[in-house]
């Protein structure tokens, strides 16, 4: 059996097309199989590419470009500036592929991407997002740096960091310790000083900052990091008189609470005094002499008139006999 296949390039993707003819009397069309393979390829997820170490790679250092695959693949290819430069065949299907440069030189600097191919398919995935390999060349002097204001900066104000080099520098980058990538970049038309402004600083902006630059004509070469400056952000102080006002409000609140409590107690005392006086007056207005019915308290049901005993004297006169 001899196979003949035709290949065409469609936007950089290698896609088989047409019929595969069998030598002999039998002809088998595999167009359906190729169509299924192409359909599967359209759903291949894009890989991602990472750099190790992520920054601070100097000439002569070892660096690794790692292609992360969304699913195990057999073939992985590395591209530089759009051109295929290396392939990595995975004898054991894996989900990562490493491409290492043991001793980097200026030719290794540039933009890289990767793509992969599944074991059962001849169609490759889309390329990953680009990753820049920038090499530090210590032949270039580090830039100068300054911070304004130099003392502590209050929250909400602006801080300015200036980076400069009088001989080199087309693009200046601002770095913050703890961040894997530059936090700001500024391209200059002429050699001079780049000014970076941090607007409305917060405590999260506190930290150590450094600068680097990329020389003219060498976009993937970098100067070493220069000296550092430290930005300290302090909370905004309270306006004058705020503490006295707060203390006065507290005093007013305490005095108000004490006054309300005193008035409440005073009302209770007056109420009890009035009640006692009313009872005393009622007792004085109801004397109980021996010849009159006793006084009773209408509020005491035990002293109702029907419950009182009365003594009645009856004198009987005997009838007289007529003379």
């Amino acid at each position: 059996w001899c196979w003949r296949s035709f290949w065409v390039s469609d936007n950089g993707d290698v896609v088989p097309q047409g019929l595969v003819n069998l030598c002999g009397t039998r002809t088998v069309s595999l167009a359906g199989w190729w169509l299924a393979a192409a359909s599967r390829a359209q759903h291949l997820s894009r890989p991602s590419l990472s750099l190790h170490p992520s920054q601070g790679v100097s000439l002569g250092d070892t660096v690794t470009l790692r292609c992360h695959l969304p699913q195990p693949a057999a073939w992985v290819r590395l591209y530089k500036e759009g051109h295929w430069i290396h392939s990595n065949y995975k004898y054991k299907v894996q989900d990562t592929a490493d491409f290492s440069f043991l001793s980097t030189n200026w030719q290794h600097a540039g933009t890289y991407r990767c793509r992969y191919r599944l074991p059962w398919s001849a169609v490759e995935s889309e390329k990953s997002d680009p990753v820049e390999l920038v090499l530090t060349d210590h032949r270039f002097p580090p830039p100068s740096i300054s911070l304004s204001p130099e003392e502590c900066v209050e929250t909400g104000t602006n801080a300015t960091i200036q980076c400069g080099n009088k001989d080199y520098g087309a693009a200046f980058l601002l770095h913050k310790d703890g961040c894997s990538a530059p936090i700001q970049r500024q391209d200059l038309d002429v050699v001079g000083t780049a000014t970076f402004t941090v607007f409305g600083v917060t405590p999260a902006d506190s930290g150590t900052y450094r600068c680097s630059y990329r020389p003219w004509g060498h976009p993937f070469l970098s100067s070493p990091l220069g000296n550092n400056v430290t930005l300290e952000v302090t909370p905004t102080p309270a306006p004058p008189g705020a503490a006295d006002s707060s203390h006065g409000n507290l005093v007013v609140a305490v005095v108000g609470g004490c006054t309300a409590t005193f008035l409440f107690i005073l009302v209770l005392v007056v109420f009890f005094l009035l009640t006692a006086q009313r009872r005393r007056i009622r007792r004085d207005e109801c004397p109980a002499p021996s010849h009159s019915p006793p006084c009773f308290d209408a509020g005491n049901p035990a002293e109702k008139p029907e419950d009182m005993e009365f003594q009645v004297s009856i004198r009987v006169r005997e009838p007289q006999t007529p003379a």
Side-chain angles (χ1 to χ4, degrees), residues 25-45:
T25 58
R26 299 179 59 187
T27 301
V28 179
S29 174
L30 299 180
W33 184 88
W34 293 118
L35 182 61
S39 177
R40 287 196 301 268
Q42 293 177 357
H43 294 87
L44 291 180
S45 300

Side-chain angles (χ1 to χ4, degrees), residues 155-227:
T155 300
T157 58
N158 299 337
T160 301
I161 300 176
Q162 290 188 331
C163 306
N165 186 284
K166 62 181 181 180
D167 297 323
Y168 305 93
F172 282 86
L173 298 99
L174 181 64
H175 306 260
K176 182 182 179 183
D177 287 3
C179 298
S180 59
I183 61 173
Q184 291 191 40
R185 172 173 176 157
Q186 188 174 135
D187 296 313
L188 300 181
D189 295 331
V190 295
V191 176
T193 301
T195 301
F196 300 98
T197 303
V198 184
F199 296 95
V201 298
T202 66
D205 295 315
S206 298
T208 301
Y209 293 82
R210 308 170 191 268
C211 293
S212 67
Y213 63 88
R214 298 185 183 178
W216 288 99
H218 302 281
F220 299 106
L221 292 182
S222 173
S223 72
L225 294 177
N227 295 329

